[in-house]
Amino acid sequence: TLGSRVWLLINYTLTLMLIYSAIATVTTVEYRDVYPVTDGRKIVSSLHMIVGIVILEFLISTLEMHL
């Protein structure tokens, strides 16, 4: 029915917003003046933030091994 489709769309949108907000908060990247608006850009920017965390973690662990 139409009501269930609308509910699924709202649930999907809210879930994506919550996941993006959580990742942006953890990485402290989110600036309120520039932020992604579409779902695709939120997913891409979330992946960029996660890749940044992984690279930073790799560099820190490599530095720690050599000290």
Side-chain angles (χ1 to χ4, degrees):
T1 64
L2 180 62
S4 62
R5 289 182 183 172
V6 170
W7 183 84
L8 286 174
L9 179 63
I10 291 171
N11 192 21
Y12 167 76
T13 303
L14 288 176
T15 303
L16 184 61
M17 285 175 37
L18 290 173
I19 290 172
Y20 172 77
S21 295
I23 293 172
T25 301
V26 168
T27 59
T28 63
V29 170
E30 184 174 340
Y31 299 110
R32 291 292 174 188
D33 55 345
V34 178
Y35 56 91
V37 178
T38 64
D39 290 344
R41 290 183 181 192
K42 287 180 183 177
I43 292 170
V44 169
S45 63
S46 296
L47 290 174
H48 276 114
M49 289 182 254
I50 291 171
V51 168
I53 290 172
V54 169
I55 290 172
L56 188 61
E57 181 180 341
F58 175 75
L59 292 173
I60 290 172
S61 64
T62 302
L63 181 63
E64 183 180 346
M65 287 174 52
H66 292 294
L67 289 179

Short mmCIF file of all heavy atoms in Angstrom, two decimals:
data_model
loop_
_atom_site.label_atom_id
_atom_site.label_comp_id
_atom_site.label_asym_id
_atom_site.label_seq_id
_atom_site.Cartn_x
_atom_site.Cartn_y
_atom_site.Cartn_z
N THR A 1 0.83 -1.18 0.00
CA THR A 1 0.00 0.00 0.00
C THR A 1 0.88 1.25 0.00
O THR A 1 2.08 1.19 0.25
CB THR A 1 -0.92 0.02 1.24
OG1 THR A 1 -0.12 0.11 2.39
CG2 THR A 1 -1.80 -1.21 1.28
N LEU A 2 0.23 2.36 -0.23
CA LEU A 2 0.95 3.63 -0.30
C LEU A 2 1.53 4.02 1.05
O LEU A 2 2.67 4.50 1.14
CB LEU A 2 0.03 4.74 -0.82
CG LEU A 2 0.66 6.12 -0.94
CD1 LEU A 2 1.80 6.09 -1.94
CD2 LEU A 2 -0.38 7.14 -1.34
N GLY A 3 0.78 3.78 2.12
CA GLY A 3 1.26 4.14 3.46
C GLY A 3 2.51 3.40 3.84
O GLY A 3 3.44 3.97 4.43
N SER A 4 2.59 2.11 3.50
CA SER A 4 3.79 1.35 3.85
C SER A 4 4.99 1.79 3.02
O SER A 4 6.12 1.79 3.51
CB SER A 4 3.53 -0.16 3.67
OG SER A 4 3.25 -0.45 2.32
N ARG A 5 4.75 2.17 1.77
CA ARG A 5 5.86 2.66 0.93
C ARG A 5 6.39 3.99 1.46
O ARG A 5 7.60 4.22 1.48
CB ARG A 5 5.41 2.80 -0.51
CG ARG A 5 5.19 1.49 -1.19
CD ARG A 5 4.80 1.67 -2.62
NE ARG A 5 4.53 0.37 -3.22
CZ ARG A 5 4.02 0.21 -4.40
NH1 ARG A 5 3.73 1.28 -5.14
NH2 ARG A 5 3.79 -0.99 -4.88
N VAL A 6 5.50 4.86 1.87
CA VAL A 6 5.92 6.14 2.44
C VAL A 6 6.69 5.91 3.73
O VAL A 6 7.72 6.53 3.97
CB VAL A 6 4.69 7.06 2.69
CG1 VAL A 6 5.09 8.29 3.50
CG2 VAL A 6 4.06 7.47 1.37
N TRP A 7 6.22 4.99 4.56
CA TRP A 7 6.90 4.69 5.81
C TRP A 7 8.30 4.14 5.55
O TRP A 7 9.26 4.51 6.21
CB TRP A 7 6.10 3.68 6.63
CG TRP A 7 6.73 3.40 7.96
CD1 TRP A 7 6.61 4.11 9.09
CD2 TRP A 7 7.63 2.33 8.27
NE1 TRP A 7 7.36 3.57 10.09
CE2 TRP A 7 8.00 2.47 9.61
CE3 TRP A 7 8.16 1.27 7.53
CZ2 TRP A 7 8.87 1.59 10.24
CZ3 TRP A 7 9.02 0.40 8.15
CH2 TRP A 7 9.36 0.57 9.50
N LEU A 8 8.44 3.25 4.54
CA LEU A 8 9.76 2.72 4.21
C LEU A 8 10.68 3.81 3.71
O LEU A 8 11.86 3.84 4.04
CB LEU A 8 9.62 1.61 3.16
CG LEU A 8 9.09 0.29 3.65
CD1 LEU A 8 8.87 -0.66 2.48
CD2 LEU A 8 10.04 -0.34 4.66
N LEU A 9 10.16 4.74 2.91
CA LEU A 9 10.98 5.84 2.41
C LEU A 9 11.44 6.74 3.55
O LEU A 9 12.61 7.12 3.63
CB LEU A 9 10.19 6.65 1.38
CG LEU A 9 10.91 7.87 0.79
CD1 LEU A 9 12.15 7.42 0.01
CD2 LEU A 9 9.98 8.65 -0.10
N ILE A 10 10.54 7.05 4.46
CA ILE A 10 10.90 7.89 5.61
C ILE A 10 11.91 7.16 6.49
O ILE A 10 12.90 7.75 6.94
CB ILE A 10 9.65 8.28 6.41
CG1 ILE A 10 8.80 9.25 5.60
CG2 ILE A 10 10.02 8.89 7.75
CD1 ILE A 10 7.44 9.53 6.20
N ASN A 11 11.70 5.87 6.71
CA ASN A 11 12.61 5.09 7.54
C ASN A 11 14.00 5.03 6.90
O ASN A 11 15.01 5.17 7.58
CB ASN A 11 12.05 3.68 7.74
CG ASN A 11 12.79 2.92 8.81
OD1 ASN A 11 13.45 3.52 9.65
ND2 ASN A 11 12.68 1.62 8.78
N TYR A 12 14.06 4.83 5.57
CA TYR A 12 15.34 4.79 4.86
C TYR A 12 16.06 6.13 4.99
O TYR A 12 17.25 6.19 5.27
CB TYR A 12 15.12 4.43 3.39
CG TYR A 12 16.33 4.66 2.53
CD1 TYR A 12 17.40 3.78 2.56
CD2 TYR A 12 16.42 5.77 1.69
CE1 TYR A 12 18.52 3.98 1.78
CE2 TYR A 12 17.53 5.99 0.91
CZ TYR A 12 18.57 5.09 0.95
OH TYR A 12 19.67 5.31 0.18
N THR A 13 15.34 7.21 4.77
CA THR A 13 15.93 8.54 4.83
C THR A 13 16.45 8.85 6.23
O THR A 13 17.56 9.35 6.39
CB THR A 13 14.91 9.61 4.39
OG1 THR A 13 14.45 9.28 3.08
CG2 THR A 13 15.52 10.98 4.38
N LEU A 14 15.66 8.54 7.25
CA LEU A 14 16.09 8.80 8.62
C LEU A 14 17.30 7.94 8.99
O LEU A 14 18.22 8.41 9.65
CB LEU A 14 14.94 8.54 9.60
CG LEU A 14 13.82 9.58 9.58
CD1 LEU A 14 12.70 9.15 10.51
CD2 LEU A 14 14.34 10.94 9.95
N THR A 15 17.30 6.68 8.56
CA THR A 15 18.43 5.80 8.86
C THR A 15 19.70 6.33 8.21
O THR A 15 20.76 6.37 8.83
CB THR A 15 18.13 4.38 8.37
OG1 THR A 15 16.94 3.92 8.99
CG2 THR A 15 19.27 3.43 8.71
N LEU A 16 19.61 6.74 6.95
CA LEU A 16 20.77 7.29 6.26
C LEU A 16 21.27 8.56 6.94
O LEU A 16 22.47 8.75 7.11
CB LEU A 16 20.45 7.56 4.79
CG LEU A 16 21.60 8.03 3.93
CD1 LEU A 16 22.70 6.99 3.91
CD2 LEU A 16 21.12 8.33 2.53
N MET A 17 20.35 9.43 7.34
CA MET A 17 20.73 10.65 8.04
C MET A 17 21.42 10.34 9.36
O MET A 17 22.43 10.97 9.71
CB MET A 17 19.50 11.53 8.31
CG MET A 17 18.99 12.25 7.09
SD MET A 17 17.45 13.18 7.35
CE MET A 17 17.63 13.85 8.97
N LEU A 18 20.93 9.36 10.10
CA LEU A 18 21.53 9.00 11.38
C LEU A 18 22.92 8.41 11.19
O LEU A 18 23.85 8.73 11.95
CB LEU A 18 20.63 8.02 12.13
CG LEU A 18 19.34 8.61 12.67
CD1 LEU A 18 18.46 7.50 13.24
CD2 LEU A 18 19.62 9.65 13.72
N ILE A 19 23.08 7.54 10.21
CA ILE A 19 24.39 6.94 9.95
C ILE A 19 25.39 8.01 9.53
O ILE A 19 26.52 8.06 10.02
CB ILE A 19 24.28 5.83 8.88
CG1 ILE A 19 23.52 4.63 9.46
CG2 ILE A 19 25.66 5.40 8.40
CD1 ILE A 19 23.19 3.58 8.45
N TYR A 20 24.97 8.90 8.62
CA TYR A 20 25.86 9.97 8.18
C TYR A 20 26.24 10.88 9.35
O TYR A 20 27.41 11.23 9.53
CB TYR A 20 25.21 10.80 7.07
CG TYR A 20 26.02 12.02 6.73
CD1 TYR A 20 27.17 11.90 5.97
CD2 TYR A 20 25.67 13.27 7.22
CE1 TYR A 20 27.94 13.01 5.69
CE2 TYR A 20 26.44 14.38 6.94
CZ TYR A 20 27.57 14.25 6.18
OH TYR A 20 28.33 15.34 5.91
N SER A 21 25.28 11.24 10.16
CA SER A 21 25.55 12.12 11.30
C SER A 21 26.50 11.46 12.30
O SER A 21 27.38 12.11 12.86
CB SER A 21 24.25 12.50 12.00
OG SER A 21 23.46 13.27 11.15
N ALA A 22 26.33 10.16 12.52
CA ALA A 22 27.22 9.45 13.44
C ALA A 22 28.65 9.43 12.91
O ALA A 22 29.60 9.70 13.66
CB ALA A 22 26.71 8.03 13.65
N ILE A 23 28.82 9.12 11.64
CA ILE A 23 30.17 9.07 11.06
C ILE A 23 30.79 10.47 11.07
O ILE A 23 31.97 10.64 11.43
CB ILE A 23 30.13 8.50 9.64
CG1 ILE A 23 29.74 7.02 9.69
CG2 ILE A 23 31.48 8.65 8.95
CD1 ILE A 23 29.48 6.41 8.33
N ALA A 24 30.02 11.47 10.70
CA ALA A 24 30.55 12.84 10.68
C ALA A 24 30.91 13.31 12.08
O ALA A 24 31.90 14.03 12.26
CB ALA A 24 29.53 13.78 10.04
N THR A 25 30.15 12.91 13.08
CA THR A 25 30.45 13.31 14.45
C THR A 25 31.72 12.63 14.96
O THR A 25 32.57 13.26 15.59
CB THR A 25 29.27 12.98 15.38
OG1 THR A 25 28.12 13.67 14.88
CG2 THR A 25 29.55 13.39 16.80
N VAL A 26 31.86 11.35 14.65
CA VAL A 26 33.04 10.61 15.10
C VAL A 26 34.30 11.17 14.45
O VAL A 26 35.34 11.29 15.10
CB VAL A 26 32.88 9.10 14.78
CG1 VAL A 26 34.18 8.36 14.95
CG2 VAL A 26 31.82 8.50 15.67
N THR A 27 34.22 11.53 13.19
CA THR A 27 35.40 12.03 12.50
C THR A 27 35.58 13.53 12.67
O THR A 27 36.58 14.08 12.22
CB THR A 27 35.32 11.73 10.99
OG1 THR A 27 34.14 12.34 10.46
CG2 THR A 27 35.28 10.25 10.74
N THR A 28 34.64 14.18 13.31
CA THR A 28 34.63 15.64 13.51
C THR A 28 34.89 16.39 12.21
O THR A 28 35.66 17.33 12.15
CB THR A 28 35.63 16.09 14.59
OG1 THR A 28 36.96 15.77 14.15
CG2 THR A 28 35.35 15.46 15.91
N VAL A 29 34.25 15.95 11.14
CA VAL A 29 34.41 16.55 9.83
C VAL A 29 33.26 17.47 9.49
O VAL A 29 33.40 18.40 8.72
CB VAL A 29 34.52 15.44 8.75
CG1 VAL A 29 34.45 16.01 7.36
CG2 VAL A 29 35.79 14.67 8.95
N GLU A 30 32.12 17.24 10.06
CA GLU A 30 30.90 17.91 9.64
C GLU A 30 30.92 19.40 9.98
O GLU A 30 30.96 19.79 11.13
CB GLU A 30 29.71 17.25 10.32
CG GLU A 30 28.40 17.79 9.88
CD GLU A 30 27.27 17.00 10.49
OE1 GLU A 30 27.45 15.87 10.93
OE2 GLU A 30 26.17 17.55 10.54
N TYR A 31 30.90 20.20 8.95
CA TYR A 31 30.74 21.63 9.10
C TYR A 31 29.35 21.99 8.61
O TYR A 31 28.91 21.50 7.58
CB TYR A 31 31.79 22.39 8.30
CG TYR A 31 33.20 22.08 8.73
CD1 TYR A 31 34.04 21.35 7.92
CD2 TYR A 31 33.66 22.52 9.95
CE1 TYR A 31 35.32 21.06 8.32
CE2 TYR A 31 34.95 22.24 10.36
CZ TYR A 31 35.77 21.51 9.53
OH TYR A 31 37.04 21.22 9.93
N ARG A 32 28.66 22.83 9.30
CA ARG A 32 27.27 23.13 8.93
C ARG A 32 27.15 24.03 7.72
O ARG A 32 26.10 24.13 7.14
CB ARG A 32 26.55 23.76 10.12
CG ARG A 32 26.32 22.79 11.23
CD ARG A 32 25.32 21.76 10.81
NE ARG A 32 25.20 20.73 11.83
CZ ARG A 32 24.52 19.64 11.67
NH1 ARG A 32 23.90 19.41 10.54
NH2 ARG A 32 24.45 18.75 12.63
N ASP A 33 28.22 24.70 7.30
CA ASP A 33 28.10 25.57 6.14
C ASP A 33 28.21 24.80 4.83
O ASP A 33 27.67 25.22 3.82
CB ASP A 33 29.13 26.69 6.19
CG ASP A 33 30.55 26.19 6.34
OD1 ASP A 33 30.72 25.02 6.69
OD2 ASP A 33 31.47 26.98 6.12
N VAL A 34 28.89 23.66 4.82
CA VAL A 34 29.01 22.82 3.62
C VAL A 34 28.71 21.39 4.03
O VAL A 34 29.41 20.82 4.87
CB VAL A 34 30.43 22.91 3.03
CG1 VAL A 34 30.56 22.00 1.82
CG2 VAL A 34 30.79 24.33 2.67
N TYR A 35 27.70 20.81 3.44
CA TYR A 35 27.33 19.44 3.76
C TYR A 35 26.60 18.83 2.58
O TYR A 35 25.98 19.54 1.78
CB TYR A 35 26.46 19.39 5.03
CG TYR A 35 25.21 20.23 4.96
CD1 TYR A 35 24.03 19.69 4.50
CD2 TYR A 35 25.22 21.57 5.34
CE1 TYR A 35 22.88 20.45 4.41
CE2 TYR A 35 24.09 22.33 5.27
CZ TYR A 35 22.92 21.76 4.80
OH TYR A 35 21.79 22.52 4.72
N PRO A 36 26.67 17.50 2.43
CA PRO A 36 25.98 16.85 1.31
C PRO A 36 24.48 16.86 1.52
O PRO A 36 23.99 16.73 2.63
CB PRO A 36 26.54 15.43 1.34
CG PRO A 36 26.98 15.22 2.72
CD PRO A 36 27.42 16.55 3.24
N VAL A 37 23.75 17.00 0.42
CA VAL A 37 22.30 17.07 0.50
C VAL A 37 21.66 15.78 0.01
O VAL A 37 20.73 15.27 0.63
CB VAL A 37 21.78 18.28 -0.33
CG1 VAL A 37 20.27 18.34 -0.30
CG2 VAL A 37 22.37 19.56 0.21
N THR A 38 22.16 15.22 -1.08
CA THR A 38 21.54 14.02 -1.65
C THR A 38 22.04 12.77 -0.93
O THR A 38 23.10 12.77 -0.29
CB THR A 38 21.86 13.91 -3.14
OG1 THR A 38 23.27 13.75 -3.31
CG2 THR A 38 21.40 15.13 -3.90
N ASP A 39 21.29 11.69 -1.07
CA ASP A 39 21.66 10.43 -0.43
C ASP A 39 22.98 9.90 -0.97
O ASP A 39 23.82 9.42 -0.22
CB ASP A 39 20.56 9.38 -0.65
CG ASP A 39 19.31 9.70 0.12
OD1 ASP A 39 19.37 10.54 1.05
OD2 ASP A 39 18.25 9.12 -0.20
N GLY A 40 23.18 10.00 -2.27
CA GLY A 40 24.42 9.51 -2.86
C GLY A 40 25.63 10.24 -2.34
O GLY A 40 26.66 9.63 -2.05
N ARG A 41 25.52 11.54 -2.21
CA ARG A 41 26.66 12.32 -1.71
C ARG A 41 26.91 12.04 -0.23
O ARG A 41 28.05 12.07 0.22
CB ARG A 41 26.42 13.80 -1.95
CG ARG A 41 26.50 14.14 -3.41
CD ARG A 41 26.35 15.59 -3.67
NE ARG A 41 26.42 15.84 -5.10
CZ ARG A 41 26.53 17.02 -5.64
NH1 ARG A 41 26.58 18.08 -4.86
NH2 ARG A 41 26.58 17.16 -6.93
N LYS A 42 25.86 11.77 0.52
CA LYS A 42 26.05 11.40 1.93
C LYS A 42 26.79 10.08 2.04
O LYS A 42 27.67 9.91 2.88
CB LYS A 42 24.71 11.31 2.65
CG LYS A 42 24.08 12.65 2.91
CD LYS A 42 22.76 12.51 3.62
CE LYS A 42 22.12 13.87 3.80
NZ LYS A 42 20.81 13.78 4.42
N ILE A 43 26.45 9.13 1.18
CA ILE A 43 27.13 7.83 1.19
C ILE A 43 28.59 8.00 0.80
O ILE A 43 29.49 7.45 1.45
CB ILE A 43 26.40 6.84 0.27
CG1 ILE A 43 25.02 6.49 0.86
CG2 ILE A 43 27.23 5.58 0.05
CD1 ILE A 43 24.13 5.71 -0.07
N VAL A 44 28.85 8.75 -0.26
CA VAL A 44 30.23 8.96 -0.72
C VAL A 44 31.04 9.69 0.33
O VAL A 44 32.19 9.31 0.63
CB VAL A 44 30.25 9.72 -2.06
CG1 VAL A 44 31.65 10.18 -2.42
CG2 VAL A 44 29.69 8.84 -3.16
N SER A 45 30.49 10.72 0.94
CA SER A 45 31.24 11.46 1.96
C SER A 45 31.47 10.59 3.20
O SER A 45 32.52 10.68 3.85
CB SER A 45 30.55 12.76 2.32
OG SER A 45 29.28 12.52 2.89
N SER A 46 30.52 9.73 3.53
CA SER A 46 30.72 8.80 4.65
C SER A 46 31.87 7.84 4.35
O SER A 46 32.70 7.56 5.21
CB SER A 46 29.44 8.01 4.93
OG SER A 46 28.41 8.86 5.35
N LEU A 47 31.91 7.35 3.13
CA LEU A 47 33.01 6.45 2.74
C LEU A 47 34.34 7.18 2.79
O LEU A 47 35.36 6.61 3.23
CB LEU A 47 32.76 5.88 1.35
CG LEU A 47 31.62 4.88 1.24
CD1 LEU A 47 31.38 4.49 -0.21
CD2 LEU A 47 31.90 3.65 2.08
N HIS A 48 34.37 8.44 2.36
CA HIS A 48 35.60 9.22 2.44
C HIS A 48 36.06 9.38 3.89
O HIS A 48 37.25 9.27 4.19
CB HIS A 48 35.41 10.61 1.83
CG HIS A 48 35.58 10.64 0.35
ND1 HIS A 48 34.54 10.90 -0.48
CD2 HIS A 48 36.65 10.42 -0.43
CE1 HIS A 48 34.97 10.86 -1.73
NE2 HIS A 48 36.25 10.56 -1.72
N MET A 49 35.14 9.62 4.78
CA MET A 49 35.49 9.78 6.20
C MET A 49 36.03 8.48 6.77
O MET A 49 37.01 8.48 7.52
CB MET A 49 34.28 10.27 6.99
CG MET A 49 33.92 11.69 6.72
SD MET A 49 32.54 12.23 7.72
CE MET A 49 31.24 12.26 6.51
N ILE A 50 35.41 7.36 6.41
CA ILE A 50 35.87 6.06 6.91
C ILE A 50 37.25 5.74 6.36
O ILE A 50 38.12 5.26 7.09
CB ILE A 50 34.85 4.96 6.55
CG1 ILE A 50 33.57 5.17 7.37
CG2 ILE A 50 35.42 3.57 6.80
CD1 ILE A 50 32.42 4.29 6.97
N VAL A 51 37.48 6.01 5.08
CA VAL A 51 38.81 5.79 4.49
C VAL A 51 39.85 6.66 5.19
O VAL A 51 40.97 6.21 5.46
CB VAL A 51 38.78 6.05 2.97
CG1 VAL A 51 40.18 6.12 2.39
CG2 VAL A 51 37.98 4.97 2.27
N GLY A 52 39.48 7.89 5.51
CA GLY A 52 40.41 8.76 6.24
C GLY A 52 40.77 8.20 7.61
O GLY A 52 41.94 8.26 8.02
N ILE A 53 39.80 7.64 8.30
CA ILE A 53 40.07 7.03 9.60
C ILE A 53 41.00 5.84 9.44
O ILE A 53 41.94 5.66 10.22
CB ILE A 53 38.75 6.60 10.28
CG1 ILE A 53 37.96 7.82 10.70
CG2 ILE A 53 39.02 5.70 11.48
CD1 ILE A 53 36.57 7.49 11.20
N VAL A 54 40.76 5.01 8.43
CA VAL A 54 41.59 3.82 8.21
C VAL A 54 43.02 4.22 7.87
O VAL A 54 43.98 3.64 8.39
CB VAL A 54 40.98 2.94 7.09
CG1 VAL A 54 41.94 1.85 6.66
CG2 VAL A 54 39.66 2.34 7.57
N ILE A 55 43.19 5.21 7.03
CA ILE A 55 44.55 5.66 6.67
C ILE A 55 45.26 6.22 7.90
O ILE A 55 46.44 5.91 8.14
CB ILE A 55 44.49 6.71 5.54
CG1 ILE A 55 44.07 6.05 4.24
CG2 ILE A 55 45.83 7.41 5.38
CD1 ILE A 55 43.79 7.01 3.11
N LEU A 56 44.58 7.03 8.67
CA LEU A 56 45.18 7.58 9.89
C LEU A 56 45.53 6.48 10.87
O LEU A 56 46.61 6.50 11.48
CB LEU A 56 44.23 8.59 10.52
CG LEU A 56 44.78 9.40 11.69
CD1 LEU A 56 45.97 10.22 11.24
CD2 LEU A 56 43.70 10.29 12.24
N GLU A 57 44.66 5.49 11.02
CA GLU A 57 44.93 4.37 11.92
C GLU A 57 46.15 3.58 11.44
O GLU A 57 47.00 3.16 12.24
CB GLU A 57 43.71 3.46 11.98
CG GLU A 57 43.89 2.28 12.90
CD GLU A 57 42.65 1.41 12.92
OE1 GLU A 57 41.57 1.86 12.53
OE2 GLU A 57 42.78 0.24 13.34
N PHE A 58 46.27 3.38 10.13
CA PHE A 58 47.42 2.67 9.58
C PHE A 58 48.71 3.44 9.84
O PHE A 58 49.73 2.85 10.25
CB PHE A 58 47.23 2.45 8.08
CG PHE A 58 48.42 1.84 7.40
CD1 PHE A 58 48.70 0.50 7.57
CD2 PHE A 58 49.25 2.60 6.61
CE1 PHE A 58 49.79 -0.07 6.95
CE2 PHE A 58 50.35 2.05 5.99
CZ PHE A 58 50.62 0.70 6.16
N LEU A 59 48.69 4.75 9.63
CA LEU A 59 49.89 5.54 9.86
C LEU A 59 50.30 5.54 11.33
O LEU A 59 51.49 5.42 11.65
CB LEU A 59 49.67 6.97 9.38
CG LEU A 59 49.54 7.15 7.87
CD1 LEU A 59 49.16 8.59 7.54
CD2 LEU A 59 50.82 6.77 7.16
N ILE A 60 49.34 5.66 12.22
CA ILE A 60 49.64 5.67 13.64
C ILE A 60 50.19 4.32 14.09
O ILE A 60 51.16 4.26 14.85
CB ILE A 60 48.40 6.07 14.45
CG1 ILE A 60 48.09 7.54 14.21
CG2 ILE A 60 48.60 5.80 15.94
CD1 ILE A 60 46.79 8.00 14.80
N SER A 61 49.59 3.23 13.61
CA SER A 61 50.07 1.90 14.02
C SER A 61 51.45 1.62 13.45
O SER A 61 52.28 1.00 14.11
CB SER A 61 49.08 0.81 13.61
OG SER A 61 48.98 0.74 12.20
N THR A 62 51.73 2.09 12.24
CA THR A 62 53.06 1.91 11.66
C THR A 62 54.08 2.71 12.44
O THR A 62 55.18 2.19 12.74
CB THR A 62 53.06 2.36 10.19
OG1 THR A 62 52.09 1.62 9.46
CG2 THR A 62 54.43 2.15 9.55
N LEU A 63 53.76 3.92 12.81
CA LEU A 63 54.66 4.73 13.61
C LEU A 63 54.89 4.09 14.98
O LEU A 63 56.03 4.08 15.48
CB LEU A 63 54.08 6.15 13.77
CG LEU A 63 54.93 7.14 14.55
CD1 LEU A 63 56.24 7.39 13.83
CD2 LEU A 63 54.15 8.43 14.71
N GLU A 64 53.87 3.55 15.56
CA GLU A 64 53.99 2.91 16.86
C GLU A 64 54.88 1.68 16.80
O GLU A 64 55.63 1.40 17.74
CB GLU A 64 52.60 2.53 17.37
CG GLU A 64 52.60 1.93 18.75
CD GLU A 64 51.21 1.58 19.21
OE1 GLU A 64 50.24 2.02 18.60
OE2 GLU A 64 51.12 0.83 20.19
N MET A 65 54.82 0.94 15.71
CA MET A 65 55.65 -0.26 15.59
C MET A 65 57.13 0.10 15.50
O MET A 65 57.97 -0.66 15.94
CB MET A 65 55.24 -1.05 14.34
CG MET A 65 53.93 -1.78 14.48
SD MET A 65 53.37 -2.56 12.97
CE MET A 65 54.77 -3.53 12.49
N HIS A 66 57.45 1.25 14.93
CA HIS A 66 58.85 1.63 14.74
C HIS A 66 59.44 2.39 15.93
O HIS A 66 60.61 2.70 15.93
CB HIS A 66 59.00 2.46 13.47
CG HIS A 66 58.74 1.66 12.23
ND1 HIS A 66 59.55 0.63 11.82
CD2 HIS A 66 57.74 1.73 11.30
CE1 HIS A 66 59.08 0.10 10.71
NE2 HIS A 66 57.97 0.76 10.37
N LEU A 67 58.63 2.70 16.92
CA LEU A 67 59.15 3.43 18.07
C LEU A 67 59.46 2.52 19.21
O LEU A 67 59.20 1.55 19.54
CB LEU A 67 58.15 4.49 18.53
CG LEU A 67 58.01 5.66 17.58
CD1 LEU A 67 56.96 6.65 18.12
CD2 LEU A 67 59.30 6.40 17.39
#
